[in-house]
């Protein structure tokens, strides 16, 4: 999406997410292509990093089978707290989940669910008083898409004023065989359950490295809006996206809060196998540092969930 870029806020340079020094937080479930741990989101609460991610197997072995909720005091070594299975939702696969603590202290887990026998996806929420109670929590379909659009992989932010924001990956279903195309819409909500779509905010740019798809994965700042996003140029690169940066205005400043890709910031990709470096999530920590998590390809084609710590300042 073209447009004049606002000044970059006072944020430190992005870390090198492809660095060999990255630590493995969650290893792939098995060696080889299609075995992936990732599509994670993380949040800081109650003195710990709380992480949710999906475990995926190859297409022939079940795709995204579970969503895991885990906790860590150091941000690297995680203990599993809860696990949700796709069968409980009648889903063919899971993709990116979102975990956050509600203002009342309870927890909400958003799940990306694939409709069996189709290319359609919907987003459902689980609410519970505790993390351990999430698998049996209250279920709400929050975004169901329609016959023309699949919705998945949200980024959800609750701001200091109590406003809920969501950036949602949308896949058009109008052309059979081309459902991998993707863009990002923006929605608002008073409670995080009933959402109002405001419009498309990040779309593929013809001729660019992201000409086939653009999916916001992390919001680093709201005012001005700074986001990381997944992109790819070809259908063949589906599931192997790489990471770029986009900027915009405060979502409160306009109904659709458009983003523009920052072409001056290098695209980050893994040096191994399919090059995937995708689904970045960032957690600001109390000491001023930021811990990044990203799904990253390794030499055998599997994807690990790795983490990089960016020091304060």
């Amino acid at each position: 999406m073209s447009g004049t870029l606002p000044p970059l806020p006072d944020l430190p340079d992005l870390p090198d997410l492809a660095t060999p020094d990255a630590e493995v937080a969650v290893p792939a479930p098995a060696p080889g292509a299609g075995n992936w741990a990732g599509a994670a989101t993380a949040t800081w609460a109650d003195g710990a990093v709380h992480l949710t991610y999906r475990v995926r197997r190859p297409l022939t072995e079940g795709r995204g089978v579970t969503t895991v909720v885990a906790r860590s005091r150091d941000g690297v070594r995680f203990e599993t707290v809860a696990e949700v299975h796709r069968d409980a939702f009648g889903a063919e696969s899971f993709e990116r989940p979102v975990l956050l603590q509600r203002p009342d202290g309870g927890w909400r887990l958003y799940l990306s669910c694939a409709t069996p026998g189709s290319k359609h996806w919907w987003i459902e929420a689980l609410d519970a008083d505790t993390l351990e109670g999430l698998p049996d929590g209250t279920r709400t379909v929050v975004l169901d898409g329609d016959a023309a659009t699949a919705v998945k992989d949200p980024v959800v932010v609750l701001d200091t004023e109590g406003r809920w924001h969501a950036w949602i990956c949308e896949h058009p279903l109008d052309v059979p065989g081309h459902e991998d195309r993707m863009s990002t819409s923006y929605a608002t909500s008073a409670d995080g359950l009933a959402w109002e779509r405001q419009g498309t905010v990040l779309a593929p740019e013809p001729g660019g490295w992201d000409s086939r798809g653009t999916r916001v994965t992390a919001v680093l700042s709201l005012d001005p809006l700074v986001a990381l996003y997944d992109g790819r140029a070809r259908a063949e690169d589906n599931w192997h996206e790489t990471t770029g940066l986009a900027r915009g205005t405060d979502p409160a400043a306009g109904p659709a809060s458009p983003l523009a890709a920052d072409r001056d910031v290098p695209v980050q990709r893994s040096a191994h196998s399919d090059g995937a470096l995708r689904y970045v999530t960032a957690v600001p920590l109390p000491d001023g540092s930021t811990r990044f998590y990203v799904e990253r390809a390794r030499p055998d084609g599997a994807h690990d969930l790795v983490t990089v710590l960016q020091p304060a300042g």
Side-chain angles (χ1 to χ4, degrees), residues 177-266:
H178 294 269
E179 298 91 349
D180 67 285
R181 296 168 298 160
M182 61 185 184
S183 60
T184 298
S185 67
Y186 169 67
T188 55
S189 175
D191 61 3
L193 296 175
W195 292 92
E196 183 177 354
R197 187 184 187 277
Q198 303 295 339
T200 299
V201 295
L202 187 63
E205 187 158 318
W209 69 274
D210 52 6
S211 60
R212 188 72 179 184
T214 48
R215 173 177 59 211
V216 168
T217 62
V219 172
L220 305 182
S221 167
L222 284 174
D223 184 16
L225 183 59
V226 179
L228 296 173
Y229 74 100
D230 288 345
R232 53 183 160 78
R234 307 179 306 158
E236 293 81 0
D237 295 325
N238 190 18
W239 306 318
H240 310 145
E241 292 83 10
T242 52
T243 295
L245 184 140
R247 290 185 276 155
T249 56
D250 181 352
S257 310
L259 284 154
D262 190 334
R263 303 297 175 183
D264 294 328
V265 175

Side-chain angles (χ1 to χ4, degrees), residues 12-13 25 56 80 154 180 184:
D13 293 336
R56 186 187 188 279
T80 297
D180 67 285
T184 298

Side-chain angles (χ1 to χ4, degrees), residues 83-103:
E83 194 166 353
V84 179
H85 294 266
R86 66 179 187 190
D87 293 348
F89 289 79
E92 188 171 297
S93 184
F94 275 158
E95 197 57 71
R96 189 185 212 183
V98 174
L99 178 70
L100 52 79
Q101 192 170 38
R102 302 189 315 254

Side-chain angles (χ1 to χ4, degrees), residues 21 48 55 60 78 100 109 116 124 169 198 231 246 249 254 285 291:
D21 295 330
V55 177
T60 56
F78 284 88
L100 52 79
L109 178 66
E124 193 155 341
C169 180
Q198 303 295 339
T249 56
L285 301 177
R291 186 167 285 282

